[in-house]
Amino acid sequence: MNGHRLKSLFAIASITAITLAGCDSFPGRPTQAELPLRPTKVTDFATLYGENCAGCHGANGKDGSALAMNNPIYLALIDDASMRRVIANGFAGTAMPPFAQSAGGSLTGHQIDLLIAGIRTTWAGTGDAAAGAPPYSDSTAGDTNRGAQLYATNCQSCHGADGNSGTAGSLVDPSYLALVSNQYLRTIVIAGRPDLGQPDWKNAAGGQPLTSQQVSDVVAWLASKRPASPLAQSN
C-alpha cells in the first residue's frame, strides 16, 4: 500500500513538473530575453538619454528648449562632478528636476555615470574647446550697472535694448527667468547656444572675449530682472 501511494505521489509530481515546464513554451509567451528590462537595469546610453534628457535637451543633444549637451565648449567647461550634481539633484525651482533615486528621481548612480560618459563620448569634441574660457562657476558678485553696459555692447543687437524686443527672443521674460538659475545663465553666456546661433564668450558682439567678472556682471543684470519670488535662484 505504501509503495503504491509513493508511486502515485511520484506520478503526480512528475505530471506537475511537466505541466509547469510546458507553461514556458505556450505560444505567444515571451522568452526571458524578450522581457522588458527593469528601468534600473537599463545601461544603454541612447535609451537612457532618450528617456530622460532628450525631451528638454534635444534628441541629438541640441535644438531643445534647454542647454545643448551637444556643445564642446560646455562639455569642456563643466567637470564630471558638477555635471553629476546637476543631473542627480537638479536645480530647485527651475525646469531641471532631480534624477537620482536618492533625490526622488528614477536613475541609479551607475546610470548617471553612464549618461555623463555617453554625453562626453558622443559630443565632447576637442579637449581645448574651452581654452581661455571663464570658469564654470564664480562666487564673485556681479555688478548690475556694469552688467547693463555689457549687455548694451554685447547682447542688445539680438535681444533688444530692453532685453525683450529683439529678434532672438526675450531674456527678461518673467517666466523664463523664474525657470532658470543664475548658473544656467552664466553657462549660456560662456558656452553660447551654437544650435540657436548664439555666440560664446570669445565671440561676443562687442568684439572682445568676456572675462569671468564681466560674465558675472551680465548675469547679475539679468537676474535683477527676475521677479521677486520663492523661485528666485542664486546658485
Side-chain angles (χ1 to χ4, degrees), residues 203-227:
N203 294 303
Q208 294 293 327
L210 297 176
T211 66
S212 183
Q213 182 61 61
Q214 288 175 322
V215 173
S216 296
D217 292 342
V218 172
V219 170
W221 182 81
L222 290 170
S224 72
K225 306 300 180 182
R226 184 184 286 127

Side-chain angles (χ1 to χ4, degrees), residues 44-229:
D44 176 64
F45 166 70
T47 302
L48 287 170
Y49 180 85
E51 293 181 351
N52 296 280
C53 315
C56 293
H57 296 282
N60 192 35
K62 60 182 181 179
D63 299 319
S65 60
L67 183 74
M69 297 291 99
N70 188 351
N71 182 346
I73 293 178
Y74 168 68
L75 294 180
L77 189 67
I78 186 171
D79 59 31
D80 284 358
S82 297
M83 189 182 293
R84 185 177 293 105
R85 183 170 60 251
V86 172
I87 295 173
N89 302 322
F91 271 115
T94 75
M96 179 64 186
F99 282 91
Q101 289 181 330
S102 59
S106 61
L107 298 181
T108 66
H110 179 55
Q111 288 175 318
I112 292 175
D113 289 340
L114 291 173
L115 271 174
I116 295 171
I119 287 171
R120 291 200 182 282
T121 299
T122 307
W123 298 310
T126 60
D128 62 351
Y136 171 71
S137 60
D138 190 339
S139 60
T140 304
D143 181 274
T144 56
N145 292 325
R146 291 196 304 262
Q149 296 172 0
L150 287 163
Y151 174 87
T153 301
N154 295 281
C155 314
Q156 74 172 17
S157 59
C158 292
H159 295 282
D162 58 358
N164 197 35
S165 59
T167 58
S170 174
L171 287 179
V172 295
D173 180 88
S175 297
Y176 169 71
L177 289 175
L179 288 172
V180 297
S181 67
N182 288 0
Q183 178 60 63
Y184 180 94
L185 293 172
R186 179 179 179 85
T187 302
I188 289 288
V189 172
I190 299 173
R193 281 292 302 267
D195 51 332
L196 301 181
Q198 178 182 330
D200 54 52
W201 96 99
K202 67 178 179 295
N203 294 303
Q208 294 293 327
L210 297 176
T211 66
S212 183
Q213 182 61 61
Q214 288 175 322
V215 173
S216 296
D217 292 342
V218 172
V219 170
W221 182 81
L222 290 170
S224 72
K225 306 300 180 182
R226 184 184 286 127
S229 77

